[in-house]
């Protein structure tokens, strides 16, 4: 199962399993992955599954979506290890895995499986990313 792993932003190392054919990220509560960052658009970007391949598409967001530092202007196919950057977040795409590494996996507080019947309710809020040193 493919997933994205948060590496920049609140709660690094948390994962989101890509179990739907289309997963929308954004500020609006109807998004599959709702984000609290003011830098995110209401419907910012989506990851789409087409058979065994995944791609990312920007949804006309204000601040753009980037894959490996390149702005997404049309649907871009994702490859193992690609970095997705948007709003205040950076995710790494992992194509397949029998084990998700990270702090909370499939049913943890912040990492979850996105399903058609359940929206992922994450607290990926901007302003809570101060870390103790």
């Amino acid at each position: 199962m493919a997933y994205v792993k948060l590496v920049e932003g609140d709660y690094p190392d948390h994962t989101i399993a890509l179990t739907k054919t289309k997963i929308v990220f954004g500020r609006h509560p109807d998004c599959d992955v709702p984000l609290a960052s003011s830098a995110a658009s209401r419907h910012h970007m989506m990851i789409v599954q087409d058979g065994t391949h995944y791609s990312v598409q920007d949804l006309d967001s204000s601040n753009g979506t980037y894959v490996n530092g390149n702005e997404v202007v049309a649907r871009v196919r994702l490859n193992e290890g690609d970095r997705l950057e948007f709003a205040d977040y950076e995710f790494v795409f992992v194509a397949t895995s029998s084990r998700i590494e990270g702090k909370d996996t499939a049913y943890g507080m912040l990492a979850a499986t996105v399903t058609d019947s359940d929206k992922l309710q994450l607290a990926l809020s901007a302003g809570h990313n101060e870390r103790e040193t």
Side-chain angles (χ1 to χ4, degrees), residues 20 23-37 40-44 114-122:
K20 290 176 60 177
I23 298 177
V24 177
F25 293 68
R27 269 194 353 257
H28 198 279
D30 72 357
C31 290
D32 299 300
V33 182
L35 306 169
S37 171
S41 293
R42 280 177 260 161
H43 296 97
H44 196 100
V114 178
T115 65
D116 289 319
S117 61
D118 286 287
K119 297 248 177 175
L120 184 62
Q121 297 299 315
L122 294 181

Side-chain angles (χ1 to χ4, degrees), residues 56-77:
V56 63
Q57 180 177 342
D58 185 77
L59 299 175
D60 295 322
S61 67
S62 298
N63 294 317
T65 302
Y66 299 83
V67 174
N68 300 325
N70 299 308
E71 186 171 13
V72 173
V73 293
R75 195 175 282 187
V76 174
R77 188 169 170 178

Side-chain angles (χ1 to χ4, degrees), residues 31-125:
C31 290
D32 299 300
V33 182
L35 306 169
S37 171
S38 61
S41 293
R42 280 177 260 161
H43 296 97
H44 196 100
M45 70 92 166
M46 70 178 172
I47 297 175
V48 179
Q49 181 183 10
D50 182 21
T52 59
H53 303 288
Y54 292 83
S55 25
V56 63
Q57 180 177 342
D58 185 77
L59 299 175
D60 295 322
S61 67
S62 298
N63 294 317
T65 302
Y66 299 83
V67 174
N68 300 325
N70 299 308
E71 186 171 13
V72 173
V73 293
R75 195 175 282 187
V76 174
R77 188 169 170 178
L78 294 171
N79 296 300
E80 182 76 27
D82 279 350
R83 293 190 171 279
L84 296 137
E85 300 168 69
F86 59 96
D88 299 323
Y89 308 101
E90 183 176 342
F91 290 88
V92 172
F93 175 73
V94 179
T96 59
S97 176
S98 58
R99 180 174 158 250
I100 296 176
E101 296 179 14
K103 294 181 181 172
D104 293 313
T105 57
Y107 300 99
M109 181 177 122
L110 295 168
T113 299
V114 178
T115 65
D116 289 319
S117 61
D118 286 287
K119 297 248 177 175
L120 184 62
Q121 297 299 315
L122 294 181
L124 292 177
S125 59

